[in-house]
Amino acid sequence: MSAATTAGAEAARRRTFAVISHPDAGKSTLTEALALHARAITSAGAVHGKGNRRGVASDWMEMEQARGISVTSAVLQFAHRGQVLNLLDTPGHADFSEDTYRVLAAVDCAVMLIDAAKGLEEQTRKLFDVCRHRGIPVITFVNKWDRPGREALELLDEIEQEFRLKPTPVTWPVGIAGHMRGLVDVRAPGTLLRYTRAPGGAKEAIEESVPAQRASSEEGADWEQAVEELQLLQADDAVHDHEAFLAGRSTPVFFGAALSNIGVRLLLDAVVDLAPPPGDRPLEGGGTRAVTESFSGLVFKVQANMDRSHRDRIAFLRVCSGVFERGMTVTRAASGKPFATKYAHSVFGQDRSAVETAYPGDVVGLVNASALRVGDTLYAERPAVFPGMPTFAPEHFAVARPADISRTKQFRRGIAQLDEEGVVQVLVSDVRGEQAPVLAAVGPMQFDVVSHRMAGEFSAPVRLEPLPYRLARATDAAGAEQLNRSRLVRGEAMTRLRDKDVLALFPDLWQANSFAREFPDARLDPLVAAHG
């Protein structure tokens, strides 16, 4: 079998997807439950590992485990029904939107998690905008139906009105939120799926199929209401249309409770049945790269010190076309220089193992890849360059200084490392000099990560001095000079180390507008954001 035929066949078996949500909607818990149902792990952990119960596999950093949030993005690969699933867990917290955006550049589908009580929340809306912008089809999972919440029909109306997206239920709850009696699979409406939660929720819930007549007798009004609501939805043509789903006009909807492992199997089956396999990817400047062409891949994440004993650095590469083989020499498009792939791992949370071969849709961890940056394209044979990743507009700024001047060397190395990983944006100015870099962040929690990692990994604690800026605009050398000599406007010009772009920082929009009036010819452009 030729390499192209192999790549095409293996790509068809892949489903590469991300779980996205607002903080506290249960994203990491769902990630663990999916892996449990696929037999990739033997028991699901809680986000906060309590007592003898372990923490979730995808939240490996000490800070994540302590706070019960996902800060970095984890990659879990497992098999289900003969297919290979690559699940990319993303940060739910808005402060880490950039990391989420980078992950969404590497997936073909997203599972959008909605809290049954809270419905659509701010971060959910932002993430859906990113999916729509990137053309990523979305499967919706309404979580926490075992707790008090809103009405199911009300949640569907909210999705349709706010996202202009037709919700098409594939499963439907029997019983209101907080009084969950089971689920109905719309494709087999004559059966109630009743669940008995495993002790602690660490194992799969026991699923029992109850015929309609018995369900009506035992569940009474709850069953009758569910049947009536399903009839109402069918009359409204809320039926899954696969073409509309792939085109981003509809979203199949599932209900359940991730912590209790209820409804998770049906969602996992849906990822196999509904999510698209890897396809041809657009190239910078036009054209596409077919999955059957020679190897190409996109670096969407760089993470250092995942293994404390080795202090290494991993570049996460999404294979876009062809066959990846460990040890092959490829070309880094940005420099045109060869890159050896001797140390290639598959990663399951913090665990890793050597990978010999990978196919389109797979994620490979390239170890000690110091030359690689987020957004890099690697290829073999015919050149390829995939579109770069926009940088979010930062809204929080702080000057970073070493708390101990004798640790200056370690301080510089740590700041450079975090900049390359995209943990924060690092800015410098002629006025402050490189010894006092300015850290620019989308949210203030990014500064907590910087402080935590600088002290723990680089033994270089930092002092952060907040700056009074909340707005950044793109400018040029001429605009920087005008801003620095303006006596009417409070602001400062700096250069972003990563790409050498010049930014103008202002305390607020009023000051930015004042500068524009004072220097009408100065360049002052909004920065590209997630939905840009």
Side-chain angles (χ1 to χ4, degrees):
M1 186 181 295
S2 69
T5 303
T6 300
E10 290 294 336
R13 295 179 57 226
R14 263 64 182 173
R15 303 292 185 271
T16 302
F17 68 107
V19 178
I20 59 175
S21 77
H22 192 83
D24 301 323
K27 181 176 54 58
S28 292
T29 303
L30 177 63
T31 296
E32 201 84 353
L34 288 167
L36 171 70
H37 278 263
R39 306 295 191 272
I41 56 177
T42 56
S43 65
V47 173
H48 291 281
K50 296 179 180 178
N52 294 324
R53 190 173 182 192
R54 65 189 190 84
V56 296
S58 58
D59 284 349
W60 56 268
M61 286 183 71
E62 177 186 344
M63 180 176 170
E64 295 180 290
Q65 292 167 353
R67 298 194 182 196
I69 61 170
S70 291
V71 173
T72 57
S73 301
V75 182
L76 309 178
Q77 185 185 73
F78 46 86
H80 182 64
R81 286 175 39 200
Q83 309 298 304
V84 178
L85 276 59
N86 296 300
L87 195 170
L88 280 60
D89 184 31
T90 61
H93 202 285
D95 286 9
F96 305 101
S97 300
E98 284 195 272
D99 201 43
T100 300
Y101 186 94
R102 290 190 283 263
V103 170
L104 290 176
V107 303
D108 304 306
C109 183
V111 172
M112 179 169 64
L113 197 60
I114 295 176
D115 187 310
K118 299 175 182 176
L120 301 182
E121 299 175 85
E122 180 183 2
Q123 184 69 355
T124 315
R125 295 182 178 91
K126 289 181 179 178
L127 292 171
F128 175 76
D129 284 345
V130 176
C131 290
R132 170 165 280 168
H133 176 66
R134 298 199 67 90
I136 299 171
V138 173
I139 297 171
T140 299
F141 185 77
V142 180
N143 193 26
K144 303 183 183 179
W145 202 257
D146 55 346
R147 305 180 189 179
R150 294 162 60 180
E151 293 186 4
L153 290 174
E154 180 186 356
L155 291 169
L156 296 194
D157 286 343
E158 188 174 41
I159 292 171
E160 186 162 20
Q161 292 172 12
E162 292 211 26
F163 289 162
R164 304 184 306 281
L165 193 68
K166 184 73 173 179
T168 57
V170 179
T171 67
W172 192 252
V174 177
I176 62 173
H179 182 69
M180 187 177 193
R181 309 306 300 161
L183 295 171
V184 177
D185 186 331
V186 175
R187 297 158 295 188
T191 303
L192 165 68
L193 298 176
R194 181 181 285 159
Y195 295 87
T196 302
R197 177 179 176 176
K203 302 287 184 182
E204 293 179 44
I206 300 170
E207 185 179 289
E208 176 191 8
S209 294
V210 180
Q213 186 173 358
R214 183 179 145 205
S216 178
S217 172
E218 294 178 355
E219 302 300 342
D222 288 330
W223 172 259
E224 300 304 327
Q225 181 179 347
V227 170
E228 290 177 7
E229 289 172 337
L230 283 174
Q231 291 173 345
L232 180 65
L233 289 165
Q234 288 183 331
D236 191 38
D237 200 30
V239 180
H240 176 69
D241 180 325
H242 198 60
E243 184 178 334
F245 161 63
L246 295 178
R249 298 194 302 271
S250 70
T251 177
V253 180
F254 295 77
F255 290 79
L259 187 62
S260 305
N261 294 304
I262 294 174
V264 176
R265 177 188 62 81
L266 293 163
L267 176 63
L268 187 61
D269 285 341
V271 171
V272 169
D273 295 333
L274 305 181
D280 302 348
R281 288 181 71 90
L283 293 169
E284 185 75 42
T288 59
R289 181 81 162 195
V291 293
T292 53
E293 285 197 56
S294 57
F295 165 78
S296 66
L298 174 69
V299 176
F300 66 92
K301 175 181 177 61
V302 175
Q303 180 70 56
N305 299 329
M306 290 185 72
D307 186 335
R308 292 186 180 183
S309 62
H310 291 93
R311 297 284 180 175
D312 57 11
R313 168 188 168 112
I314 294 184
F316 289 90
L317 176 92
R318 148 78 189 235
V319 180
C320 299
S321 67
V323 180
F324 171 88
E325 295 179 338
R326 186 170 67 89
M328 70 189 302
T329 299
V330 297
T331 302
R332 180 183 175 227
S335 64
K337 294 181 178 180
F339 179 85
T341 61
K342 180 180 178 182
Y343 302 104
H345 289 177
S346 61
V347 181
F348 186 100
Q350 197 172 7
D351 300 326
R352 62 174 79 171
S353 58
V355 60
E356 299 296 331
T357 310
Y359 303 98
D362 288 345
V363 174
V364 177
L366 299 176
V367 183
N368 292 329
S370 58
L372 299 183
R373 303 289 183 270
V374 171
D376 272 352
T377 297
L378 299 180
Y379 66 83
E381 299 178 23
R382 193 170 79 87
V385 179
F386 296 112
M389 298 185 193
T391 301
F392 272 38
E395 299 177 5
H396 302 268
F397 304 86
V399 179
R401 303 181 193 277
D404 181 351
I405 199 68
S406 70
R407 309 295 293 174
T408 297
K409 183 178 179 181
Q410 292 84 347
F411 168 81
R412 289 177 177 171
R413 185 170 69 245
I415 293 295
Q417 175 68 59
L418 298 183
D419 182 35
E420 291 172 3
E421 289 182 34
V423 174
V424 285
Q425 299 174 40
V426 179
L427 314 179
V428 295
S429 68
D430 293 337
V431 175
R432 300 178 187 278
E434 293 193 11
Q435 72 276 7
V438 171
L439 308 185
V442 174
M445 199 177 290
Q446 288 176 259
F447 294 146
D448 294 345
V449 174
V450 169
S451 297
H452 181 83
R453 293 189 59 188
M454 287 293 290
E457 295 175 23
F458 301 98
S459 299
V462 295
R463 289 188 292 107
L464 297 178
E465 304 167 7
L467 292 176
Y469 305 127
R470 290 293 178 269
L471 185 72
R473 292 285 186 262
T475 187
D476 50 26
E481 183 181 352
Q482 291 167 324
L483 178 57
N484 288 337
R485 63 183 169 87
S486 173
R487 296 184 177 181
L488 301 177
V489 175
R490 292 171 57 208
E492 193 172 342
M494 299 187 186
T495 301
R496 189 162 53 200
L497 277 182
R498 195 180 309 169
D499 50 20
K500 306 305 179 187
D501 283 358
V502 182
L503 304 185
L505 311 184
F506 302 96
D508 50 44
L509 185 59
W510 188 87
Q511 292 287 338
N513 290 337
S514 296
F515 174 73
R517 288 192 296 270
E518 184 180 1
F519 300 98
D521 296 329
R523 179 190 168 199
L524 208 62
D525 301 329
L527 294 176
V528 178
H531 55 277

